[in-house]
Amino acid sequence: MRPLIGTSWKMNLTSSEADRWFGELLPRVAGLDACELFVLPPSTSIWVARERLRGTAITWGAQDVHPDDAGAHTGDVSAAMLADLGCTFVEVGHSERRSAYRETSELIAAKVAAVLRWGMRPIICVGEPRPVPPSEVLPILEADLGVVLEAVGARDLERVVIAYEPRWAIGEGAEPASAEHVGAVCAGLGDWLLSRPGGARSTIIYGGSVNEDTAPAVLETPGVDGLFVGRYALDPERFARIAWAGAARESLHSAPGTRSSP
Ligand code: PGA
């Protein structure tokens, strides 16, 4: 499987800045087909992503969604609206939304159902609040995902992306989790997904202070299918370097020495 590497810009970049970001990114990732890239701008710039990414292999999506398809929900955006904008991915349950808007696992489950209903792929964020060993992390993630995935059938599970994002590793001033920690949690999560009734393996990516220096080790770790990048991707050159780290992993695993980063 090609590594899946994406970014959420969170509440950053205006539409004009987004246009410049794509203008700087695209030449830097030209010819990079060994990994799958996606970009989640704020809702106001999804149309810019569509303009700039249509016809490329890079997909785009949204950072949140309302569970209903339409209605009196001031300020919200529905899965129908996102599908109409050509979104492939929709992020749900990010820890910033869980804490700022008190989002529950039940609400996140309803959002996941909406995303799947509209033919898109949910990226479900999960993570422990404080640093604890992987054996203590897994029950926390399983309790949360047990609720969120309740209504997701085996076929749809394969369309789900789980972003393992320890909360203590996210944002300014935080350090990324070690590759060993991420590998142990992601492998355990993969086993747990397969062990559930009708279980299937979802794509599992890691997020939390990922940068171009730490990306390669995490990408090399068995059980990790990709990366979810926050603040370091606001610089398109740095995001491109992280993406090329994914390509380097692929060439190592498939045809050694056939590909190199620019
Ligand atoms: P960060 O954000 O890379 O800035 O830590 C990651 C995330 O919240 O997904």
Side-chain angles (χ1 to χ4, degrees):
M1 188 213 265
R2 293 185 303 160
L4 177 66
I5 299 182
T7 174
S8 159
W9 296 345
K10 305 192 180 183
M11 197 176 72
N12 292 292
L13 306 188
T14 64
S15 293
S16 312
E17 290 165 342
D19 193 55
R20 282 196 289 279
W21 190 95
F22 287 115
E24 287 179 33
L25 178 78
L26 289 173
R28 291 182 161 88
V29 295
L32 198 174
D33 51 11
C35 56
E36 202 184 329
L37 300 180
F38 69 85
V39 181
L40 311 184
S43 300
T44 47
S45 293
I46 295 175
W47 69 274
V48 183
R50 183 173 67 164
E51 297 271 301
R52 299 301 301 249
L53 298 179
R54 216 172 359 203
T56 75
I58 306 173
T59 54
W60 61 92
Q63 300 173 15
D64 186 40
V65 67
H66 192 282
D68 291 353
D69 289 346
H73 301 294
T74 301
D76 280 316
V77 170
S78 74
M81 294 166 182
L82 298 175
D84 187 58
L85 277 170
C87 291
T88 298
F89 292 101
V90 182
E91 179 181 7
V92 293
H94 190 277
S95 65
E96 287 152 12
R97 294 203 61 84
R98 289 181 194 247
S99 60
Y101 298 94
R102 297 204 181 84
E103 292 198 1
T104 60
S105 306
E106 288 75 11
L107 174 63
I108 295 161
K111 292 182 177 197
V112 168
V115 172
L116 290 169
R117 196 162 64 239
W118 283 90
M120 298 176 289
R121 299 184 64 186
I123 301 174
I124 304 169
C125 302
V126 285
E128 73 280 13
R130 280 171 298 283
V132 288
S135 58
E136 289 175 43
V137 175
L138 284 164
I140 299 172
L141 308 192
E142 290 165 11
D144 185 21
L145 285 172
V147 176
V148 173
L149 296 177
E150 204 151 296
V152 179
R155 273 227 324 265
D156 281 340
L157 259 187
E158 286 167 9
R159 291 166 54 210
V160 165
V161 178
I162 294 175
Y164 169 52
E165 303 206 323
R167 292 187 205 178
W168 50 268
I170 293 175
E172 212 58 62
E175 292 287 327
S178 71
E180 295 71 35
H181 177 92
V182 175
V185 172
C186 292
L189 207 48
D191 291 345
W192 176 77
L193 286 166
L194 283 171
S195 73
R196 296 170 69 241
R201 175 72 156 71
S202 303
T203 303
I204 303 175
I205 62 178
Y206 167 75
S209 300
V210 172
N211 62 37
E212 62 274 36
D213 299 324
T214 57
V218 179
L219 283 166
E220 278 302 311
T221 307
V224 183
D225 303 318
L227 298 171
F228 199 16
V229 192
R231 63 193 184 281
Y232 291 110
L234 292 173
D235 175 348
E237 188 176 344
R238 297 187 82 172
F239 183 57
R241 287 210 192 124
I242 294 166
W244 279 101
R249 168 185 111 153
E250 262 319 87
S251 58
L252 266 182
H253 287 190
S254 45
T258 55
R259 188 181 291 279
S260 58
S261 64

